[in-house]
Amino acid sequence: MKLTLQQEQKLQLVMTQQLRQAIEILQYSTYDLYQYIYEQALENPLIEIEESHDLPDSSSNSNSKVKGTTDDSETNPFDYIAGDEPNLQQQLMEQARLLRLSETDYKIVTTLIQHLDENGYLVLNTKEIALQMKTKDSAIENGLQLLQQLEPVGVGARSLQECLLLQLNYFYPREMIAKQIIHHYLHVLADRKWEIIADKMNISLAEVKHAYECIQTLHPKPGSLLSSTQSEYVYPDVLVKVANGKFTVSLNDRYLPRIRLNDHYLSFINQKTDESNYIRNRYTHYRWLMNSIEKRRSTILKITEAIIRKQEEFFFHGLSSLKPLTLKDIAHEVGMHESTVSRATMNKVIQTPTGSYDFRTLFSSKLASNNGKPLSQTKVKFWLQELIQKENKYKPFSDQKISDYFKANKGINISRRTIAKYRQELNIPPSTKRKEIQI
C-alpha cells in the first residue's frame, strides 16, 4: 500500500448564506416579505424604510376558494380594529353571576367552566375535578347540573350523546323516539342504516325520518355558538385582471415599505478602518437585498404570465376549465429550473377574475382519456362533485358506479380506489352516508 499526493480539478456549487437567503425570499409570501424587510432594517443601519400608506388589497370574489374579504371599493379602517368580544368562558361566567348560587356552588360552577373546551364539552370527569377541589363527587355533579342550565343548551356535556340529549330535552321534550335513538342507536344513525333502526325499535321509516329531522336541528358543538372567532383576512400576492379580453398581471405589494439607503455612512466606505469594513459589508448586503426583491418580483410575474398563456380558459371560466399543467411545463416555458418555479409559487395566493386561489391550485397532473386528450385531476374532481350533487339521494352512486359512469360518459378510465381518494379530498362521504330515508 502506497501513499500518493494527487491534484484534482472539479466544479462544485457552494450554497452561500446569501444564496440561501435569496431562495427564501423567493418563496416568501408578500406578508412574509413585509416582516423580513423590517427585520433587515433592524440589523442594517444603512437601510431606511418608509411605511407605505396603502393598506393591503383585501378584495376578493364571492366564489373564492380561499377565504377573503368582500370586494369593497374603499377600505374601512374599522375593519382593522381588534374586537374585544368575550370568549366562551367569559360569557358563561357572566351568566353564572346572574344565578343565585351559594359561594360553594358558584366556585364549583366557575371551576367547571374553566375546564370546558372550545366546543363547550367538559374535558375532565367529575371525579378528577372533585379530587382537584377536595370535595365530594355529588357536589361536583350538582354543580354540573347548574352549569348545564346555562346557554347555549348542551354546554357542559361530557359526550356527544349527553350533549344531544340535553338539547333534545329542552327543545323537543315529547320526542321519545328521538331520545331512544340517541340513547341506543346513535352510531347506527350516523351510518344512516334506517331499516336497522326501524326493525330494532319496531317503528316505521316515517317515524325514523321524523326523529332524524329533529336530531339534525341539534348542535353537536354548542360552545362554538358563543366562541368569538377573529376574522382572518387573506391578501392575494398576485393580481390578475382582464379588460377587453387582455390580462394584466401585478404584484399586490403596494403596502410593502419603501427601502432607502442611508447615505450618511457612505463616507466611511473608503477608509481603512474596522468600521469601514463593516459599512462596506452592510452596503453589499443592502444591494443584495434590493436585487433579491426585484428578482423575486420579475420571476413571479414571468411565471404568472406563462401560466395565463397555458390556462387562459381557467381565468375566464374557473376551475371547470382547468387544464393539466405541471411545474415542469412552466419551467420549460420560462427557461427556469423546476425548483425555482416551485418556490416562486409556494405560500402565495393569486386573485383572478373567477376568484382567489392558492397558486398551487393552478397546477394539476394529467389523466388519460379515450379520445387522447389529457384531462386535469381538478376537472375530474369538479365533475365528480357535480355528479354527486345531481344523484338520486335515495339511491346514491357507489364509487364503482361513478367509475363506470366516467368510463361510459366521459371516456376516462379511472379506478374505484381513485374515485374514493378524490371523494375524500372533497370531503364527500361514501354512498352509505349520503343515503336519505325513502318513505
Side-chain angles (χ1 to χ4, degrees):
M1 189 173 184
K2 185 178 179 181
L3 296 176
T4 59
L5 184 64
Q6 294 181 336
Q7 282 187 332
E8 184 180 16
Q9 187 177 14
K10 62 179 182 179
L11 293 175
Q12 183 177 359
L13 180 63
V14 179
M15 180 71 77
T16 64
Q17 180 68 20
Q18 286 191 340
L19 179 59
R20 186 178 293 109
Q21 289 178 337
I23 291 174
E24 289 179 358
I25 286 178
L26 181 60
Q27 65 189 30
Y28 281 160
S29 66
T30 309
Y31 179 72
D32 292 334
L33 181 60
Y34 176 91
Q35 294 180 312
Y36 181 77
I37 290 173
Y38 272 92
E39 291 175 2
Q40 296 304 305
L42 291 174
E43 297 176 5
N44 193 342
L46 270 67
I47 294 178
E48 287 186 346
I49 56 177
E50 180 183 342
E51 184 64 60
S52 173
H53 296 293
D54 291 325
L55 290 172
D57 188 345
S58 60
S59 59
S60 178
N61 196 294
S62 59
N63 59 354
S64 300
K65 284 295 180 184
V66 179
K67 286 184 178 179
T69 60
T70 55
D71 188 6
D72 295 327
S73 58
E74 295 183 3
T75 304
N76 187 347
F78 291 101
D79 290 341
Y80 297 90
I81 299 177
D84 192 22
E85 298 179 3
N87 58 23
L88 172 65
Q89 279 75 15
Q90 290 171 337
Q91 294 185 60
L92 291 175
M93 291 283 192
E94 190 64 32
Q95 292 183 49
R97 291 190 190 97
L98 300 177
L99 298 177
R100 295 182 179 180
L101 302 177
S102 65
E103 185 178 345
T104 302
D105 286 341
Y106 180 77
K107 184 178 180 181
I108 292 174
V109 170
T110 53
T111 301
L112 290 170
I113 289 174
Q114 293 169 1
H115 287 92
L116 297 178
D117 64 12
E118 60 184 6
N119 295 319
Y121 286 85
L122 190 64
V123 294
L124 296 179
N125 61 49
T126 53
K127 290 185 178 180
E128 290 175 323
I129 298 175
L131 186 64
Q132 182 186 92
M133 298 188 67
K134 298 178 181 179
T135 187
K136 295 180 180 179
D137 293 353
S138 58
I140 301 298
E141 288 288 348
N142 180 63
L144 183 58
Q145 291 180 12
L146 294 171
L147 169 61
Q148 291 174 351
Q149 295 176 16
L150 304 181
E151 293 184 354
V153 180
V155 73
R158 289 157 289 187
S159 66
L160 174 61
Q161 187 181 54
E162 184 180 13
C163 177
L164 296 179
L165 285 173
L166 286 170
Q167 296 179 59
L168 192 67
N169 289 329
Y170 184 85
F171 295 112
Y172 309 106
R174 297 181 181 179
E175 294 293 338
M176 303 309 296
I177 292 178
K179 188 179 295 186
Q180 290 180 36
I181 290 176
I182 294 175
H183 261 301
H184 306 291
Y185 304 106
L186 188 59
H187 62 288
V188 184
L189 185 72
D191 292 333
R192 299 193 172 210
K193 296 179 179 179
W194 322 115
E195 291 80 4
I196 293 178
I197 297 174
D199 182 61
K200 292 281 187 182
M201 297 182 63
N202 195 24
I203 58 177
S204 66
L205 284 175
E207 290 175 302
V208 175
K209 182 177 181 180
H210 177 73
Y212 173 70
E213 289 173 350
C214 289
I215 295 172
Q216 281 286 90
T217 62
L218 308 180
H219 205 295
K221 299 178 180 179
S224 62
L225 299 174
L226 287 184
S227 298
S228 57
T229 55
Q230 187 177 359
S231 299
E232 294 184 4
Y233 292 88
V234 174
Y235 304 112
D237 301 279
V238 182
L239 306 176
V240 178
K241 298 180 180 179
V242 61
N244 300 324
K246 294 184 179 180
F247 293 99
T248 58
V249 184
S250 61
L251 295 189
N252 187 24
D253 56 2
R254 294 182 296 109
Y255 66 95
L256 288 180
R258 297 177 179 87
I259 304 175
R260 297 187 303 182
L261 176 65
N262 186 345
D263 54 8
H264 173 74
Y265 296 94
L266 295 182
S267 59
F268 296 93
I269 288 182
N270 297 324
Q271 298 179 12
K272 295 182 179 180
T273 62
D274 293 338
E275 290 80 4
S276 64
N277 289 334
Y278 173 77
I279 296 300
R280 280 195 295 270
N281 178 271
R282 294 293 87 192
Y283 179 72
T284 302
H285 186 271
Y286 160 79
R287 294 290 301 273
W288 164 83
L289 177 62
M290 298 297 291
N291 290 336
S292 297
I293 292 175
E294 183 57 34
K295 184 67 175 177
R296 171 188 178 273
R297 180 187 181 85
S298 61
T299 301
I300 294 174
L301 291 176
K302 190 175 182 180
I303 290 172
T304 305
E305 290 168 355
I307 291 174
I308 291 175
R309 291 193 295 271
K310 295 285 187 179
Q311 298 282 19
E312 185 173 346
E313 291 185 13
F314 160 79
F315 287 92
F316 281 117
H317 307 294
L319 289 175
S320 61
S321 302
L322 195 65
K323 295 179 180 178
L325 185 67
T326 63
L327 294 171
K328 188 175 181 180
D329 295 335
I330 295 299
H332 183 265
E333 177 78 10
V334 298
M336 298 178 183
H337 195 273
E338 189 175 339
S339 62
T340 303
V341 178
S342 176
R343 292 186 178 97
T345 56
M346 187 182 299
N347 306 320
K348 295 177 183 66
V349 175
I350 179 171
Q351 180 178 294
T352 73
T354 61
S356 296
Y357 306 87
D358 187 295
F359 226 120
R360 293 301 183 93
T361 306
L362 277 61
F363 296 95
S364 182
S365 56
K366 303 175 182 178
L367 286 175
S369 62
N370 294 340
N371 60 12
K373 294 182 179 179
L375 295 168
S376 69
Q377 284 187 3
T378 304
K379 190 165 188 175
V380 174
K381 289 178 184 178
F382 180 83
W383 283 342
L384 172 62
Q385 199 168 24
E386 195 176 53
L387 177 63
I388 290 177
Q389 287 175 351
K390 296 178 180 179
E391 70 182 355
N392 184 350
K393 299 306 178 183
Y394 302 122
K395 294 181 180 179
F397 294 126
S398 65
D399 293 340
Q400 185 59 54
K401 286 185 178 179
I402 294 175
S403 175
D404 296 339
Y405 172 84
F406 278 133
K407 184 176 181 180
N409 296 275
K410 300 293 186 181
I412 309 171
N413 292 318
I414 185 168
S415 67
R416 177 190 60 79
R417 294 179 63 182
T418 305
I419 292 293
K421 174 187 173 185
Y422 290 171
R423 181 173 49 72
Q424 290 171 3
E425 290 175 355
L426 294 169
N427 294 319
I428 298 174
S431 59
T432 55
K433 294 189 177 182
R434 300 198 306 271
K435 187 178 180 181
E436 298 290 347
I437 303 176
Q438 186 174 15
I439 303 174

